[in-house]
Amino acid sequence: MNNLNFSFSDLITGYVKSANKESNSYSVETSDGNVFSFILTDNTYAEMIRNLGESFIDCTSQMADMLTAGRHVFLYGVFYPDQENMFEVKHIVFSGKHGNDFVFEKQDWWIKQISQLADFYLNAQFGTETVDFKNYRTMLNLYGQKIDSTRQETDTISRLVYGFASAYMMTGNEKYLEVAEKGSQYLRDHFCMVDSLDDICYWYHAVEFGDTHNKKVMGSNMPDVPGFRKANTQTVRERKMIASEFGDDYDAIPAYEQIYALAGLTQTYRITGNTIIRDAIDKTLNLFEKYYKDHEKGGYFSHIDPITFDARSEGLGRNRAKKNWNSVGDHAPAYLINLLLATGKEEHKQMLIDTAESITNHFQDYDESAFVQEKFFEDWSHDKTWGWQQNRGVVGHNLKIAWNLMRVVNIYPSEDYVKFSRKIAELMPKHGGDNQRGGWYDVVERELKEGEDIHRYAWHDRKAWWQQEQGILAYLILNGIEKDEAYLKYARESSAFYNAWFLDHDSGAVYFNVLANGIPYLLGNERNKGSHSMSGYHSFELCYLASVYTNLLITKQPMDFYFKPTPNSLEDRILRVAPDLLPVGSIEIESVTIDGVSYSDFNAAELSINLPVSDVPVKVKVTIVPTVGLAHFNVTSTVSSDKITLKLTGSLDSHGIPFLREELENVIQAQPKFFVLDVTSLTQISALGMRALIFAKQKLATEESMIILGASAEVKALFDDQEFSEELIFI
């Protein structure tokens, strides 16, 4: 029975184990050590993983030569049962240009990706018009077109705001900050309810907008009520929804909605120090403290009654006096770590430690399952019958715990946190990962039945974009701190799967779900780029933190970050610029500019800047570098209309030539009208480097001179020695 006597297509990912071009005989070894033999056909084609905004990189003509031992590849092909399950490969995706190269470890990979994401959502939500969040729509189709609706949801707006704030921090693009600030203001004006007597604020689930003709919207049977704050136009009225209308949380105020309402506000606050935003954050923390926190048994309740704010109200039904992963664990990544980075306040640190302690003390359940327990009754006994979750594990939540505990351990050293994180890292590849195809699964049964080796999938074997993020970040920070090469291997494999299969090169942004084999799943709400579940959060967060962990902890490259505070609004005019909770002493400030002018009043080790007296916003650019092992050469590119700028940093010797040549090849292919070489931070350039520049200039069709920006006398002399200066403009 069940003989595989039919052909089927599938994906294999792993490392080339053997290659014989003459006999067309190859083999690949998967992450867990399984070996598959394969052959190429006349119609096999190959490409390189490419970033959003990049053109197809055709590797077909050299694919056989690129199949060298140890190289990481994705192989999509067909199994034929008549030849002992021979695998004929039809499509190859290489993860890098060279043997142990991974394209997403370039210093600016994630920076470029977040710019592409921001531009997609900027165009989708606001087009070329003035940014006005009254035009925001929760639902966007595959192409970024609005699916018209009269309902706006707090959390989806907040997540989009988070995305644009993060994009600004990485790029300094003022348009992104404009969206973040206007979105933050819009949330406060339309979705925030302040109870001054109780010194709290809470956030509406959603707002529906209708006209003045008493027309019902979205089929709602709610009575008409007067519009709330600033609903002062004659053409639009607002209907507030205090309680959730989603099935899991119906007629309750779930903790996760209040938590994610702060995601965008807090990231924006890190940039601007806006005191009005801070007041809303503080009052929401008061809400958590007074109504969600269990002061007797610890943790936070998952739901409160929308009228009494009582977590034990009988009206909550199955959500009465419950706790879950979201109500306890989501504080840290959604806003609390970012708030601590901005304030340095002891109360924020203690709240963060409190959540980490609750997770460590109550979520582990390894006598019963490889997965953590996520649902609890008030006394922390296990709830294995709730709703859709039952006794199931969410793979991404396990990975998320490891990622965030390894962040917290940098301010509160704990062997328990490290041990727990390492346990998750050890178990998840076998129990929640796909070792044949790559990537991380969604929801599985926590326990194996007799005779089972594979956890059964709750509904399907698809893979969601947000769970890939958790895997990438968990293993990146584990490697960055623990220096275990196995963690780097899993981080690279996770990043490769995400960048190979989730980036939508046709329409922009990323797919919600892919099938197990990486093919996009484009049915129902999962075909959309905007929904209740997807907005500008996880994909942007991944870009921000993958860049931070890769550059500052692993490949040892510098990073620039941007802020725009009003100095006099900050306590003691101190701007805290730590990019994340990283090991103490691992990074420092190298340089600072304020409004484009070099500035020296900063504490490099404490990652803080003493700002000048000012009542107007100032733009702060800070370069942060690793304290140990800084790469001696780095090259990054910036593209704007008809100009490409390459920034060279450090010493350009023979070791840096491959990186320079790769970027110069991209310049030659693009053929810009203007080519700018920023050598402000270049300390030395070898003869090889000079020849590479001369060759690139030869290949450019433009008649405009190459512009050299910021050359020191020593560097300019090197150009003079090569008789190259007459073709250049020095600025």
Side-chain angles (χ1 to χ4, degrees), residues 83 119 168 179-181 210 270 302 446 505 562 633 641 671 693:
Q83 296 184 15
D119 289 344
Y168 177 80
V179 177
E181 290 191 297
R270 286 180 68 185
S302 62
R446 293 181 67 243
H505 296 289
Y562 297 85
F633 175 73
S641 61
Q671 288 294 318
L693 294 175

Side-chain angles (χ1 to χ4, degrees), residues 10-39:
D10 211 335
L11 178 72
I12 300 175
T13 183
Y15 305 85
V16 176
K17 185 173 179 63
S18 64
N20 189 318
K21 181 179 177 181
E22 287 70 27
S23 64
N24 189 23
S25 175
Y26 304 87
S27 66
V28 61
E29 184 174 4
T30 62
S31 181
D32 60 347
N34 285 323
V35 177
F36 292 86
S37 60
F38 67 93
I39 62 173

Side-chain angles (χ1 to χ4, degrees), residues 292-301 312 323 378 380:
Y292 284 96
K293 188 173 183 178
D294 183 346
H295 292 274
E296 296 179 7
K297 299 179 177 64
Y300 293 83
F301 291 110
R312 300 178 178 89
K323 300 165 186 173
E378 181 176 1
W380 291 106

Side-chain angles (χ1 to χ4, degrees), residues 384-403:
K384 297 183 179 181
T385 62
W386 184 93
W388 62 264
Q389 184 137 20
Q390 301 292 304
N391 191 23
R392 295 167 180 150
V394 181
V395 176
H397 289 168
N398 287 259
L399 295 164
K400 200 171 189 178
I401 288 172
W403 160 41

